[in-house]
Amino acid sequence: MKHKSHLLLAFLLFLGITLQAQSGDTYAYSFLNFSSSARLSAMGGKLISVHDDDPSLILYNPSSIRKDFHTSLFANFTDYFGDACYGSALYSHTFKKAGSFAFGLQAVSYGKFTQTDINGFEEGKFTAGDYAATAGWGRQLDSNWSIGASLKLIYSDYESYHSFGFACDVAGSYYNPGKRISLTLLFQNIGTQLKPYTTGNFEKLPFDIQFAFSQRLKHLPVRYHITVHSLYKWNLAYVGPDDPTLETDGMTGELKYPSKASQFFDNFFRHLVFGIEIIPSKYFSLQFAYNHQRHQEMKIPQGRSFAGFSYGFSINIHSIQIGFSRMHYAVGAVPNYFTFSCNIEELSNLSKEKKAKKLQRVKIENPSN
C-alpha cells in the first residue's frame, strides 16, 4: 500500500501546482468559509486534522469520511452577527459496494432588510440568504492514509440578485496511531459561478489550500494543533497609506512603516492558527485557539482586543456529542456555535442492549415467567 501513499502525495502536489491561484480580497460565496461546527470554530475556524469519532468535521474535511461514521448525524446552529444566523447538517452512510458517503446542507440567513427607492421612501422588505448542498466521498487506503472529495452545489439569493455555482474540495490525510500524529492537506472551494449575480460579471470563489497537523501527547491529556492556510498566497497583510494602524512621525509628518523583518514575521504568522485541546476524560474536552490573521484584521489599534481568540467545549456520552464555542472577531461581535451529533446505529444497538439486560433481569427475579 506504500505506492498508494506516494501516488496520493503526487496527485495533491500536482493539483496544487496546476490550479490557478485565486488571489484578491473579494469573492462570491464567502459563506463557504464559515465554520461548520462548534469544535472547528473553537479551534480557530480553519482545517483541523484529527482522527477520532467526531462527525462534525466531515463537512470541512472529506478525507475523514469513513465507515466508522456509518449512520452518523450532526447539526450545527450559529447565532451570527445582528439578525444573521446560519446552520449546517450532515448525514453519513457507508454502502457495501459504493463506499462511504456524506450528504450535507448549509444555509445562511442574513435577516430582513428595508427596501427603499432613490429618495429613501420605504417600498417594502426583502431577505438575503446563501445555500449549499454537499455530497462527499471518502476512502481509507490503508491503516494510515485516506482520501476524500466533496461536491457543493451553491445557490445565493439577495433580493432580486441570484447566483448559481459549484465547488469541490479534495483532501488527503495521514494518521499514525503509534505516534498519535495526524496530517491533512486540503484544496478547498475549487469551482466557479455558473450564473453570476449580474450578467457577464463572474466572480472568484474563496479558494484555499490548507495544511493541518495535530498530535496528542503521550503522557498528558493534551492535543495540540497547527494549521497553515492560504498556502497559494504569501502576502496576507496590507501595508500602505490607508492602513489605520500606522503612526505618523511627529517631526516629518510622514507615516512610520514597520521594518521589513516585522512585515515578514507578521505575514508568516498570519498563515498560522494555533490550537490546543485539553482532554481530561473521554467524555469531555476543552478547546482554545488563536488565529493571528483574524487578530490583526479585527484588532483595535488604540486598545487591547481578544480578536482572533476562540474557545469551546465538547461532551461525548454514549455516541451523543454536544459542543459549544465562541469566536472573537471584535468587541460585541462574538458568535455562539452549538453542535449536536450522534450515531443512529450505535444508539439503536445501545437501546437493544438495555432492553435485553432488562428482560434478563426480569427473568432472574421472576423465574416462573
Side-chain angles (χ1 to χ4, degrees):
M1 195 61 68
K2 189 175 181 181
H3 69 284
K4 290 187 177 180
S5 303
H6 294 160
L7 287 174
L8 171 63
L9 286 174
F11 168 72
L12 292 175
L13 290 173
F14 174 77
L15 182 62
I17 293 171
T18 55
L19 281 172
Q20 181 178 0
Q22 299 185 29
S23 60
D25 297 323
T26 59
Y27 308 97
Y29 316 139
S30 60
F31 78 100
L32 295 175
N33 285 336
F34 288 1
S35 298
S36 58
S37 75
R39 187 180 181 190
L40 193 66
S41 303
M43 299 308 298
K46 297 294 183 181
L47 172 72
I48 62 173
S49 182
V50 179
H51 190 94
D52 61 14
D53 58 351
D54 185 0
S56 70
L57 305 179
I58 293 178
L59 197 60
Y60 205 90
N61 177 16
S63 65
S64 63
I65 302 172
R66 58 185 186 273
K67 62 181 181 180
D68 296 351
F69 292 120
H70 176 60
T71 71
S72 288
L73 175 72
F74 102 86
N76 176 77
F77 174 78
T78 301
D79 178 18
Y80 213 43
F81 307 128
D83 294 332
C85 62
Y86 70 89
S88 55
L90 178 139
Y91 173 75
S92 181
H93 198 95
T94 297
F95 302 92
K96 290 184 179 180
K97 295 183 178 180
S100 300
F101 290 83
F103 307 94
L105 293 172
Q106 293 173 267
V108 184
S109 172
Y110 300 103
K112 289 186 176 181
F113 299 86
T114 301
Q115 183 173 350
T116 62
D117 60 17
I118 59 175
N119 297 314
F121 293 104
E122 185 174 337
E123 294 182 335
K125 303 284 186 180
F126 69 93
T127 60
D130 289 312
Y131 312 90
T134 303
W137 168 86
R139 181 180 179 182
Q140 195 81 28
L141 298 179
D142 56 22
S143 59
N144 301 114
W145 292 90
S146 62
I147 58 174
S150 61
L151 176 66
K152 308 173 188 177
L153 299 180
I154 309 160
Y155 173 64
S156 186
D157 177 22
Y158 300 158
E159 202 260 330
S160 60
Y161 297 92
H162 313 282
S163 177
F164 295 94
F166 78 92
C168 67
D169 298 341
V170 180
S173 293
Y174 171 81
Y175 174 64
N176 187 320
K179 296 183 179 181
R180 301 183 178 188
I181 290 176
S182 183
L183 309 171
T184 298
L185 180 63
L186 170 69
F187 295 86
Q188 187 182 45
N189 299 324
I190 308 165
T192 185
Q193 284 184 303
L194 299 176
K195 177 185 178 302
Y197 295 101
T198 57
T199 303
N201 186 23
F202 287 88
E203 300 175 77
K204 300 174 183 178
L205 269 63
F207 169 76
D208 198 7
I209 303 176
Q210 300 179 26
F211 176 77
F213 168 86
S214 73
Q215 182 178 31
R216 181 164 179 173
L217 302 182
K218 187 175 181 180
H219 301 292
L220 285 175
V222 172
R223 180 190 289 117
Y224 66 91
H225 303 262
I226 301 174
T227 300
V228 188
H229 62 91
S230 305
L231 285 170
Y232 68 97
K233 179 183 179 182
W234 167 245
N235 288 319
L236 297 180
Y238 170 76
V239 180
D242 296 327
D243 187 348
T245 64
L246 294 180
E247 298 180 357
T248 303
D249 189 299
M251 298 293 293
T252 64
E254 296 181 353
L255 293 174
K256 298 168 63 176
Y257 289 95
S259 65
K260 295 291 184 180
S262 177
Q263 292 183 42
F264 173 85
F265 285 107
D266 176 56
N267 228 340
F268 175 79
F269 283 105
R270 282 175 183 256
H271 287 267
L272 301 178
V273 179
F274 301 95
I276 185 172
E277 286 185 284
I278 302 173
I279 314 168
S281 76
K282 64 180 181 179
Y283 304 109
F284 181 75
S285 66
L286 292 168
Q287 301 104 24
F288 304 91
Y290 173 69
N291 185 321
H292 185 66
Q293 183 185 16
R294 184 174 296 121
H295 176 76
Q296 292 296 87
E297 291 178 345
M298 304 300 292
K299 69 180 181 180
I300 301 174
Q302 292 77 18
R304 295 181 179 180
S305 171
F306 285 101
F309 289 91
S310 55
Y311 46 85
F313 67 85
S314 298
I315 300 173
N316 185 353
I317 302 175
H318 297 309
S319 300
I320 295 177
Q321 299 180 354
I322 299 173
F324 171 79
S325 66
R326 306 191 79 196
M327 186 184 295
H328 286 259
Y329 284 86
V331 177
V334 188
N336 299 306
Y337 300 80
F338 305 88
T339 297
F340 170 86
S341 63
C342 67
N343 188 291
I344 299 173
E345 187 175 61
E346 291 183 11
L347 288 177
S348 177
N349 293 337
L350 183 63
S351 178
K352 290 178 181 178
E353 289 177 7
K354 287 184 177 180
K355 288 181 180 180
K357 289 180 180 179
K358 183 177 181 180
L359 183 60
Q360 186 178 12
R361 187 168 59 250
V362 170
K363 287 182 178 180
I364 294 174
E365 294 174 354
N366 304 281
S368 59
N369 296 335

